[in-house]
Each structure stands twice: as C-alpha cells, then as structure tokens.
Amino acid sequence: MKKKPIILGIESSCDETAASVITENEQGLPTILSNIISSQVDVHKEFGGVVPELAARSHLEKIDLITKKAIDESGIKIDDIDAIASTAGPGLVVCLSVGLSFGKAMASSLNKPFIAVNHLEGHALSPKLNSELNYPYLLLLISGGHTQFLSVKELGSYKRLGTTIDDAVGEAFDKTAKLLGIEFPGGPQIEVYAKKGDPNKYELPKPIFHKGGCNLSFAGLKTAVLKISKQIKTEQEKYDLAASFQKTIEEILYKKTKIAFQEFKKINNDNENKFVVAGGVAANKKIREMLKDLCKEEKFKAIFPPINLCGDNAAMIAMVGLEKFKLNHFDDLDSPAKPRWPLDESAAFLKGAGVKL
Ligand code: KG4
Ligand code: ZN
C-alpha cells in the first residue's frame, strides 16, 4: 500500500508558537497525530496587547522545543516527514520570519519539500480536520485581524464577496473587553459576561446595516461602547453592556450572512450549499448557534471547526500543506514572509476613511 503523506505544520504569525503533524487515514481523511500550541498570553498581558518584538523573541525561544514535542507526540520519526509547511503570511513580519526560517531550515536539512502557507487559507481549511468537506463552499472568516465572506472555489481560488471596511470583529470583541476592564486577551470573556447581562439594556449602532451588500463595519459600534463604558458604575452594567454588544454582533452577522448566502448562490449552483465559519471568533458559542439556525432557515449546511481549532494552530497550516503536497505545489526556500497576503488578490482594498459603498 502507498505510504500516506505525513506533513509537519509550523505557525508563528502572531502570538501562538505552534507545530503539528498530520497524515491521512485509510479512507483518505486528514488525521491529526499531534497539535502543540504554546500561547504567549503571559508575555503580553502587562502591555494589554501583542508586542511584536517580544512575540518574535518568544517564538525564537520556543520554536525548536515545540516542534520537537509535536514530532515526539505524533509517534513518527523525523525522517518519515514528507513535507514541511510554514505560515508565510499574513501577520507580523518579525514573528512570521521565525517559523518560516525554521521550516525552511528543516526542509533543507531533511531534504524534503517546503510549502509556504497563507494563514487565512489555514483557517479556511480548518474544518477539514474533523469533517468531510468538498469544494466549493461559502466561508465566513472571523478572526482578530479579518472579517470576510469568501466564495471558496478550490484550493488557492477565492472570490471575496464582502469584507469589513474598518475593524475586524475579533478586534471589536477585544476592544470592548478592554473597555470593560477585562484582562488581555479579553475577547473570549465577553460571552461569559454576556450570559449574566440584559442584551436589551443598551441600544448600539449597526453601521452599514442597510447598505453595502455583505460588507461590514464595526468602528461605530466600538465608539458607542467607549462612550457608554465611561458612564458605567456597577458590575451588572458591565454585564449588560457585554450582552448588548454580543447581541448587536449577532444581529449584524445574521443580516450580512443572509445577504452573502444570496450572493454565493448567484455564482454557485450546487445541490448542497455549504457554509463554513472559521477563525478565533467562530469559537463564540452564541454566534455558532445563531449561524446554525440561519443555515437551517436558508437550507445551507453549517460546518464549523471544533472549538480548539478555531484559534491559531499549526494543524490547519499542515492541512493546507497536505492539500498542496498532493498537488505537488511546493515553494522555493527563498520565498518571503508576506505581512499582507489577501486570499482574493483581485479584490479592492476597502479600508479607511472615505470608503464609498
Ligand atoms: O484566529 P485567531 O486566533 O487569530 C487571528 O488570526 O486573528 O483569532 C483571535 C480572535 C481574537 O480577537 C479573540 O478575541 C477572538 O478571536 N475570540 C473570540 C472568542 N474566542 C476568540 N471572540 C468572541 N468570542 C469568543 N469565544
Ligand atoms: Zn488566525
């Protein structure tokens, strides 16, 4: 029987140092053999956000140990690895460079192919690690740096249907958490606070709700949260603001996803329309439930990565590596780190003041 490919994935684009080994089972479905993630929360906590220089230094300190751990835990021998896939972008260039250089050095010394992976494509393919998923599908990518609807035709082929014109939704969660005095990284805590609050206490704005197709905007919402947070006196009011914020985000995502469904159906005539939600914010349980309900109403199949694969990890990087390996898509050892690397290179840049929708 032909040997199943074994891929080592390496991720260091922001504040997680991660390495993972994946392969395929007898049915040809991806299987995770190990998935090691080392978070830098303690390094950045006192600064209230990620400090690039400190993040890069921490990646440098840990990358070899984390990779060794991933190989040891997987039960394979280092020579069994068929290709090394590292995140090449987008992200902080000083951080990307660590995992990229380390992956290239390993590929070179083991004499194995090297694959440069787009981190966003990692999120886009992350549900394939636990469920069967074929192209094409509609993707909602909701993370700390990105908020986009993309039609995914096949590996490497994306059409952007909508994007945020200012902040990413994860950024809005993080900023709201900071204003409520929640310790970094606060985004995931918002849903915990929201459970204890009244979602109808504060009326918050929903920018470009009635225009702009499935483009999104969160900056006005953040400003409104800032104003209200200054008047807040009690813990209960904090819970109420978190609940009102969570509800507003759900309403925005519900409306914009409904529009994205229509736009996706115009370009894809599949019998079964699939909707994938990926990225850190896809871990938000209420957003998951709301989008699952919407899928039922609109006859889309909802597909989510498991909660532990929503945030940054190296298994999703290895997943892209596995698909590229099977297509013999390899990269040169001089391929650069790319701080900006959109999935749809042809889509217009839609950020900043003066954007007309
Ligand atoms: O995908 P990710 O780990 O990193 C990026 O590529 O950006 O996403 C991180 C983002 C952060 O903004 C974090 O606050 C958000 O995902 N996040 C959440 C939750 N868990 C993580 N936002 C809302 N609810 C959650 N449960
Ligand atoms: Zn990410």
Side-chain angles (χ1 to χ4, degrees):
M1 205 196 317
K2 204 170 157 246
K3 176 186 176 294
K4 295 287 184 190
I6 296 178
I7 311 293
L8 170 68
I10 296 172
E11 156 66 33
S12 72
S13 64
C14 190
D15 59 344
E16 323 276 354
T17 318
S20 165
V21 177
I22 73 163
T23 187
E24 277 185 347
N25 64 16
E26 292 307 320
Q27 290 73 43
L29 296 173
T31 307
I32 299 175
L33 298 178
S34 64
N35 186 24
I36 312 293
I37 306 173
S38 169
S39 165
Q40 301 178 357
V41 167
D42 292 341
V43 177
H44 304 291
K45 206 174 239 173
E46 63 175 297
F47 304 98
V50 177
V51 184
E53 281 301 316
L54 295 182
R57 201 187 301 171
S58 178
H59 285 308
L60 265 176
E61 280 166 10
K62 289 187 195 150
I63 193 92
D64 46 358
L65 285 176
I66 296 294
T67 306
K68 185 176 181 311
K69 203 168 172 204
I71 295 170
D72 289 348
E73 271 196 19
S74 71
I76 59 140
K77 290 194 279 305
I78 196 164
D79 288 329
D80 296 335
I81 295 170
D82 292 297
I84 289 109
S86 287
T87 303
L92 299 165
V93 79
V94 282
C95 294
L96 290 165
S97 304
V98 176
L100 191 61
S101 304
F102 190 80
K104 287 175 183 175
M106 275 194 76
S108 167
S109 64
L110 294 172
N111 202 19
K112 298 288 160 92
F114 173 72
I115 301 166
V117 174
N118 184 318
H119 176 89
L120 306 177
E121 187 152 51
H123 281 300
L125 269 58
S126 58
K128 292 188 175 221
L129 290 159
N130 79 319
S131 50
E132 217 172 333
L133 170 64
N134 299 315
Y135 302 107
Y137 54 86
L138 173 66
L139 168 70
L140 169 60
L141 176 63
I142 35 177
S143 70
H146 296 85
T147 303
Q148 297 183 344
F149 289 103
L150 294 139
S151 166
V152 186
K153 204 169 155 215
E154 57 188 19
L155 184 73
S157 177
Y158 296 84
K159 182 174 166 47
R160 196 187 72 197
L161 305 179
T163 185
T164 176
I165 60 166
D166 39 56
D167 293 350
V169 67
E171 213 176 329
F173 268 94
D174 294 336
K175 284 180 181 163
T176 298
K178 212 170 178 176
L179 291 169
L180 293 179
I182 304 172
E183 200 172 53
F184 170 84
Q189 280 299 107
I190 291 287
E191 65 173 329
V192 179
Y193 271 49
K195 272 192 200 144
K196 298 186 247 179
D198 171 7
N200 299 315
K201 172 80 184 276
Y202 300 105
E203 184 75 32
L204 296 170
K206 289 177 262 189
I208 67 166
F209 197 64
H210 297 292
K211 60 176 183 175
C214 59
N215 289 301
L216 310 105
S217 167
F218 299 100
L221 176 56
K222 178 185 66 191
T223 311
V225 170
L226 170 69
K227 273 191 196 147
I228 297 168
S229 68
K230 284 186 179 154
Q231 291 144 25
I232 272 179
K233 296 196 176 57
T234 64
E235 280 299 293
Q236 188 55 48
E237 283 172 327
K238 283 189 183 178
Y239 301 146
D240 293 342
L241 185 51
S244 303
F245 171 82
Q246 166 85 35
K247 183 191 118 194
T248 307
I249 294 283
E250 284 170 34
E251 286 171 354
I252 295 171
L253 291 179
Y254 179 91
K255 170 89 186 276
K256 294 294 179 176
T257 302
K258 223 170 161 173
I259 298 169
F261 281 175
Q262 300 313 319
E263 299 200 5
F264 179 74
K265 282 199 278 192
K266 281 186 212 155
I267 49 174
N268 287 280
N269 288 317
D270 214 356
N271 291 338
E272 188 190 47
N273 288 310
K274 283 156 282 183
F275 179 51
V276 166
V277 188
V281 185
N284 187 290
K285 294 196 186 67
K286 282 204 69 207
I287 292 178
R288 282 170 97 96
E289 290 315 311
M290 178 276 293
L291 290 173
K292 272 184 201 163
D293 289 345
L294 174 62
C295 279
K296 254 186 221 152
E297 284 166 30
E298 299 283 323
K299 304 202 169 28
F300 267 70
K301 185 178 177 192
I303 300 159
F304 292 84
I307 302 270
N308 68 322
L309 295 178
C310 287
D312 290 348
N313 64 84
M316 68 184 195
I317 303 305
M319 181 63 234
V320 179
L322 178 63
E323 290 212 353
K324 287 194 167 187
F325 178 84
K326 295 206 291 190
L327 296 169
N328 285 322
H329 285 184
F330 302 127
D331 293 283
D332 294 332
L333 290 180
D334 64 354
S335 51
K338 299 184 195 177
R340 185 174 176 274
W341 188 2
L343 284 173
D344 179 357
E345 304 258 10
S346 69
F349 191 64
L350 268 196
K351 271 196 172 179
V355 169
K356 296 262 186 304
L357 292 169

